[in-house]
């Protein structure tokens, strides 16, 4: 099976990208499965001034692109898919997406969060500011 990985990471936000970087650096066959744009909420933030190592600040898209490239440079694979079901009792574990099936010896959940909207005027326009 070509879709068998040592490490499958569900979610491509900062936590998932960090896990992928360390997994791939450790020479594990590693894949990140992300349904949207990698980076999670951080990628939607125009200015980041409180991220370790970036005292002068950076942008969310810039930071998360660098994190993705770091993981990819070590050999992680990015899979664009939406997960529809899991079988975590099988060995290897089975992750089913809309585009295919993936198998992993280990699965990390790094699904992130979605902020609750207040539905007040200007909220959408100012999101990420």
């Amino acid at each position: 099976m070509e879709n068998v990985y040592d490490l499958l990471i569900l979610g491509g936000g900062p936590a998932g990208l960090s896990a992928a970087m360390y997994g791939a650096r450790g020479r594990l066959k590693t894949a990140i499965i992300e349904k949207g744009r990698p980076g999670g909420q951080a990628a939607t933030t125009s200015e980041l001034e409180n991220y370790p190592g970036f005292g002068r600040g950076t942008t969310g898209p810039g930071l998360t692109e660098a994190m993705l490239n770091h993981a990819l440079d070590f050999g992680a694979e990015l899979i664009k898919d939406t997960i529809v079901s899991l079988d975590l009792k099988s060995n290897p574990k089975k992750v089913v997406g809309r585009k295919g099936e993936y198998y992993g010896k280990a699965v990390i959940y790094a699904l992130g969060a979605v902020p609750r909207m207040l539905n007040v005027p200007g909220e959408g326009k100012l999101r990420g500011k």
Side-chain angles (χ1 to χ4, degrees):
M1 282 185 223
E2 79 179 52
N3 288 342
V4 177
Y5 297 88
D6 295 314
L7 181 59
L8 277 177
I9 301 158
L10 310 183
L17 295 173
S18 296
M21 188 269 299
Y22 283 108
R25 183 175 178 265
R27 298 188 184 181
L28 298 175
K29 184 177 179 188
T30 301
I32 308 156
I33 303 176
E34 170 58 47
K35 67 179 178 181
R37 185 172 117 197
Q41 283 188 66
T44 66
T45 303
S46 58
E47 293 180 34
L48 284 173
E49 295 178 323
N50 62 342
Y51 200 85
F54 293 88
R56 298 185 193 278
T58 185
T59 66
L63 174 67
T64 56
E65 181 180 354
M67 293 176 77
L68 173 62
N69 289 334
H70 197 170
L72 296 176
D73 286 347
F74 276 122
E77 181 181 337
L78 176 64
I79 299 169
K80 296 282 201 152
D81 204 348
T82 299
I83 302 307
V84 294
S85 70
L86 302 169
D87 178 1
L88 301 177
K89 293 184 179 183
S90 65
N91 190 15
K93 291 148 183 43
K94 181 178 176 182
V95 177
V96 179
R98 289 187 179 151
K99 297 178 183 177
E101 295 181 352
Y102 314 95
Y103 299 87
K105 296 175 186 173
V107 175
I108 293 177
Y109 290 8
L111 302 177
V114 177
R116 221 178 300 173
M117 303 299 279
L118 299 173
N119 297 316
V120 296
E123 181 177 25
K125 179 180 160 191
L126 296 173
R127 186 172 179 195
K129 303 289 182 210

